[in-house]
Amino acid sequence: MALDRKPAPNDLDAFWMPFTANRQFKKAPRMLVGAKDMYYTSSDGRQVLDGTAGLWCCNAGHCRPKITEAIQKQAAELDYAPAFQMGHPLAFELANRLVDVAPKGIEHVFYTNSGSESVETALKLAIAYHRARGDGARTRLIGRERGYHGVNFGGISVGGIVNNRKMFGSLLTGVDHLPHTHLPEQNAFTRGQPEHGANLADELERIVALHGAETIAAVIVEPMAGSTGVLLPPKGYLQRLREITKKHGILLIFDEVITGFGRLGSSFAAEHFGVLPDMMTTAKGLTNGVIPMGAVLTTGEVHDAFMQGPEHMIELFHGYTYSGNPIAAAAGIATLDTYKEEGLFERAAELAPYWEDALHGLKGLPHVIDIRNMGLIGAVELEGIPGEPTKRAFSAFLKAYEKGIMIRTTGDIIAMSPPLIIDKAQIDQLIGTLADVLKTLD
Ligand SMILES: Cc1ncc(COP(=O)(O)O)c(C=O)c1O
């Protein structure tokens, strides 16, 4: 691939990189300069197989023509339109398309620009929903240990990843957490949903008894926790959570930033597990990761609670300059077209058994203490080096990149979530290379 730009800048100092070991990176940069379908091109001219769909977001693969063309066309036609008190057609069209692809009962779309903003929006909506209905004491938010809900204050408050929380003060008040559902003693090496752990949803009853249901606005969980290392919901767990939240008038929010748009082999995890939440947060795959955009999807009931008072009055004092941005909306529509035309959600479901077999073939390799999978997502958990957590998996990540595959690590867990266009030979390449890497780890 011809490059008409400098492959690597000569000064890396100014850019403070997010969620990155900056000093390590800048000593030995890993620079990507191109991408097509399943592969990245590195600045040293190598083809790197994308085992992570970028950051769990490029579900249709890279530089897909329909999406690229839609963006180019829209940028030349209507680059920006004010998001407040004005509209443009594509934002409405995309909202309708999202409602079509979402589970029945989801009827409205509130646009944001990222997963983190979707989470903040959903949490605010939950509290405001109760207040709009005259139930203003419901302000508590319940998250879950090991949950990841982005990096803003609401999200890290309900989130349960210690390193994301501990540096940032006392966070939101009135938050409590469910226990996580990771039970390696009982569920290690389970294929798909684990058998044990549905009872952990009953912990919500304990939290309700402690605080009083009348103080709780919402429970937010990832239906499948991605960033914390692919933690699957035990069989029956989400259904139980839905029953308990409903019984106590508490809203249930599914954070579908990773699970949305085909990752599990269905449009959304809510569809996959047959559990309808009151709100779903999305981003990433909404525009195939190409343009920042997120959305909160809500039921009619949540939306309608706000539609009261004089008609000239703003119903919800919340929104972003770029909510429903025309170029992002064009990218979103072209992305949904691509998913549909290429049957990518179905493709993920069809490939899932092959993916599962390949992944579980890594059992028995050095340091592997658990393997988890569902749809086109998988994790290989390694035993950490005593006293040096994360080091072994990070070393696997570096070696994997050298050998031409991109994986992600969190703690000592390797997570993979390839674009849904991956084929069987590429699954073999990904897992085969990872096997070679695992054999060389200290
Ligand atoms: C479940 C979940 N929620 C929220 C986010 C935050 O999304 P963003 O990085 O777009 O703010 C992520 C990102 O990985 C996520 O996985």
Side-chain angles (χ1 to χ4, degrees), residues 13-56:
D13 198 42
F15 177 22
W16 187 348
M17 299 171 72
F19 275 120
T20 296
N22 274 256
R23 289 159 302 160
Q24 190 277 346
F25 180 94
K26 289 170 188 180
K27 279 187 187 146
R30 300 172 292 280
M31 211 73 81
L32 303 173
V33 295
K36 185 71 195 136
D37 298 331
M38 280 300 301
Y39 290 89
Y40 278 112
T41 306
S42 65
S43 60
D44 50 356
R46 295 181 305 118
Q47 292 291 290
V48 180
L49 179 64
D50 183 4
T52 55
L55 263 179
W56 330 76

Side-chain angles (χ1 to χ4, degrees), residues 134-336:
D135 209 356
R138 286 188 183 264
T139 55
R140 285 187 183 278
L141 300 166
I142 312 298
R144 192 169 59 187
E145 294 165 357
R146 295 190 68 161
Y148 182 60
H149 301 293
V151 291
N152 294 340
F153 271 108
I156 59 173
S157 301
V158 292
I161 300 180
V162 181
N163 283 339
N164 292 0
R165 296 163 53 87
K166 69 182 182 193
M167 298 292 283
F168 306 109
S170 50
L171 313 184
L172 282 192
T173 56
V175 169
D176 209 338
H177 290 79
L178 287 161
H180 65 72
T181 62
H182 186 42
L183 303 173
E185 310 76 32
Q186 288 146 291
N187 292 324
F189 296 105
T190 299
R191 290 169 173 246
Q193 269 193 287
E195 292 292 334
H196 305 283
N199 57 316
L200 291 167
D202 295 333
E203 285 293 305
L204 184 57
E205 290 284 15
R206 186 185 57 76
I207 290 173
V208 166
L210 178 67
H211 299 296
E214 70 283 5
T215 70
I216 302 177
V219 169
I220 180 166
V221 291
E222 300 161 270
M224 183 225 59
S227 300
T228 188
V230 182
L231 310 182
L232 297 160
K235 284 183 185 159
Y237 174 88
L238 294 172
Q239 287 77 0
R240 188 86 190 99
L241 217 47
R242 179 67 280 189
E243 280 164 27
I244 301 172
T245 46
K246 201 160 246 171
K247 180 170 116 193
H248 294 293
I250 299 167
L251 295 179
L252 179 62
I253 304 167
F254 277 178
D255 187 342
E256 295 241 20
V257 167
I258 283 180
T259 50
F261 306 104
R263 182 51 54 199
L264 302 182
S266 309
S267 55
F268 292 95
E271 187 81 51
H272 196 77
F273 296 114
V275 176
L276 182 68
D278 301 288
M279 288 187 255
M280 296 157 55
T281 53
T282 70
K284 295 193 189 267
L286 169 52
T287 57
N288 203 35
V290 179
I291 300 266
M293 181 179 235
V296 179
L297 313 186
T298 80
T299 59
E301 196 183 332
V302 169
H303 167 269
D304 294 351
F306 292 88
M307 298 301 136
Q308 49 175 303
E311 281 196 10
H312 71 280
M313 285 293 293
I314 291 169
E315 296 102 357
L316 176 70
F317 286 85
H318 178 73
Y320 302 97
T321 299
Y322 307 110
S323 286
N325 172 281
I327 299 173
I333 292 166
T335 298
L336 292 184

Side-chain angles (χ1 to χ4, degrees), residues 384-391:
I385 298 172
E388 295 184 295
T390 76
K391 199 171 174 189

